[in-house]
Amino acid sequence: MISTDDIFRLPAGDEAAFGVAALELFRYQATACPPYRDYLRLIGVQPDAVRTLRDIPFLPIVLFKSHNVYCCGDTPPEAVFTSSATTGMTSSRHPMRSLALYEQAFRGAFRTFYGDPARWSLYALLPNYLRRKGSSLVYMADRLIADCGSGGFYLDDYDALLRDMAHDPKPKILLGVSYALWDLAERYAPKLRDTVVMETGGMKGYREELPKAAFHKILCDAFGVAQIHSEYGMAELTSQAYSAGGNRFRCPAWMRVVARDINDPFDLLPPGARGGLNIIDLANVYSCAFIQTQDAGIVAPDGSFVVEGRIDHAEIRGCNLLVQ
């Protein structure tokens, strides 16, 4: 199997090297990850017959709710990250074999798009995540705040947040869950200096869902910034994509996104076509690197992608094959 060091050394834009690494990891996970192995059997895919990147099947993300998507058998994970869920919903569980691997992934992605963390201060406005256990986002933010050397977590003390940011001479990133940023914008409308405002998606049932462009305009007007950055991540992934504005995300070198036909999850679409989003995250070494998400969007020829929302009736055909 490809080493984790080799995964993070993949050259940006080298599709041939990425394809070789993905196929090598697929062959390992097709045997070592029981839910993925069973899924391949049920859809009639023989791993030895998979010869190209496009032939690799993607595991429906819903199976992280019902199965232990993990390659390491009796070796316990160092952490189990869980997704946020509204009342009555089941959370996804992602066993993380190595927290060092997770840290290598999120630090590498951050450096790719924002450079050395030490030049930034990171202020995290993540109230619903802080109130529960198992948040990969809180773990990432905590370590990045330490790398930055300044910033911190703020639950709902907006006065302290704005006071501390105003006294901070460094360039700043304000990372917030969408509804908390909206509350801050509505109640204070502070004009932020030398600050990147970064939303991490989702109203989580606290506020009405708005089209992304409309929501970003509310934040831009309130905060006096030209663009709203975004972070795209989830409990089932190890890596993150980032948008510097316009809801267009870019991936680190070890991550790819492709679109699929919403009605036929095994049919991959050409660039520019709207469909369900499939993600290859090679940093998902010890779970499954090939994930069929419930997000819809468009992937551009250069590999960047736009998230347009969730797929209606998200139990996509094929998802129920392993759900008992």
Side-chain angles (χ1 to χ4, degrees):
M1 186 185 72
I2 185 171
S3 72
T4 55
D5 286 342
D6 286 341
I7 286 171
F8 295 119
R9 282 198 291 258
L10 285 170
D14 190 333
E15 299 305 319
F18 184 89
V20 169
L23 283 167
E24 191 172 343
L25 187 54
F26 165 76
R27 304 215 183 282
Y28 166 68
Q29 293 181 342
T31 299
C33 179
Y36 192 40
R37 181 184 64 220
D38 293 346
Y39 181 71
L40 295 174
R41 176 178 54 80
L42 288 169
I43 63 175
V45 171
Q46 296 291 332
D48 290 344
V50 174
R51 303 293 176 83
T52 71
L53 189 63
R54 288 185 64 86
D55 295 333
I56 297 176
F58 291 80
L59 184 74
I61 198 168
V62 70
L63 295 179
F64 280 83
K65 296 178 183 289
S66 57
H67 290 69
N68 191 38
V69 183
Y70 190 52
C71 293
C72 298
D74 294 333
T75 303
E78 292 187 359
V80 177
F81 291 133
T82 59
S83 63
S84 57
T86 56
T87 302
M89 292 180 62
T90 301
S91 295
S92 293
R93 298 176 72 260
H94 186 185
M96 188 61 58
R97 173 66 184 86
S98 166
L99 286 171
L101 172 64
Y102 181 50
E103 293 181 16
Q104 193 173 3
F106 69 65
R107 286 186 169 112
F110 186 91
R111 286 179 176 273
T112 296
F113 299 106
Y114 295 97
D116 185 354
R119 68 177 292 264
W120 295 94
S121 295
L122 179 62
Y123 292 84
L125 190 57
L126 306 169
N128 61 319
Y129 291 91
L130 287 171
R131 291 187 177 106
R132 67 176 182 85
K133 295 181 179 180
S135 169
S136 58
L137 179 61
V138 167
Y139 186 95
M140 177 181 78
D142 179 66
R143 298 315 189 267
L144 288 177
I145 288 168
D147 292 346
C148 292
S150 50
F153 285 100
Y154 294 79
L155 189 59
D156 49 20
D157 190 347
Y158 297 154
D159 289 315
L161 169 69
L162 295 176
R163 181 192 65 237
D164 293 347
M165 290 181 66
H167 293 156
D168 188 341
K170 292 173 64 178
K172 291 164 282 292
I173 295 174
L174 173 59
L175 173 68
V177 66
S178 297
Y179 82 85
L181 289 175
W182 195 352
D183 285 348
L184 179 65
E186 200 169 64
R187 291 171 56 183
Y188 290 81
K191 297 303 182 276
L192 303 177
R193 296 179 296 101
D194 205 11
T195 300
V196 167
V197 179
M198 182 185 297
E199 56 99 355
T200 188
M203 295 301 175
K204 311 299 181 187
Y206 290 90
R207 303 287 297 252
E208 65 178 297
E209 294 286 349
L210 291 179
K212 190 71 73 172
F215 174 58
H216 282 192
K217 186 176 188 308
I218 290 172
L219 298 187
C220 285
D221 291 346
F223 297 141
V225 296
Q227 298 282 355
I228 301 299
H229 291 218
S230 303
E231 180 263 352
Y232 181 86
M234 57 187 71
E236 300 88 348
L237 299 178
T238 303
S239 302
Q240 303 78 34
Y242 288 95
S243 167
N247 194 33
R248 181 166 297 280
F249 292 88
R250 289 174 169 78
C251 299
W254 56 90
M255 183 179 178
R256 295 288 187 278
V257 178
V258 295
R260 68 181 187 276
D261 188 307
I262 289 175
N263 296 311
D264 181 358
F266 306 109
D267 181 20
L268 300 185
L269 300 177
R274 183 183 186 276
L277 298 181
N278 290 349
I279 296 177
I280 304 174
D281 181 6
L282 298 185
N284 267 21
V285 175
Y286 301 112
S287 53
C288 182
F290 312 96
I291 305 298
Q292 181 191 111
T293 80
Q294 294 173 345
D295 291 331
I298 298 172
V299 182
D302 66 357
S304 63
F305 64 100
V306 172
V307 180
E308 295 187 335
R310 301 280 284 178
I311 297 172
D312 291 336
H313 310 296
E315 290 294 333
I316 307 160
R317 182 161 62 90
C319 286
N320 61 348
L321 286 171
L322 289 180
V323 178
Q324 302 298 324

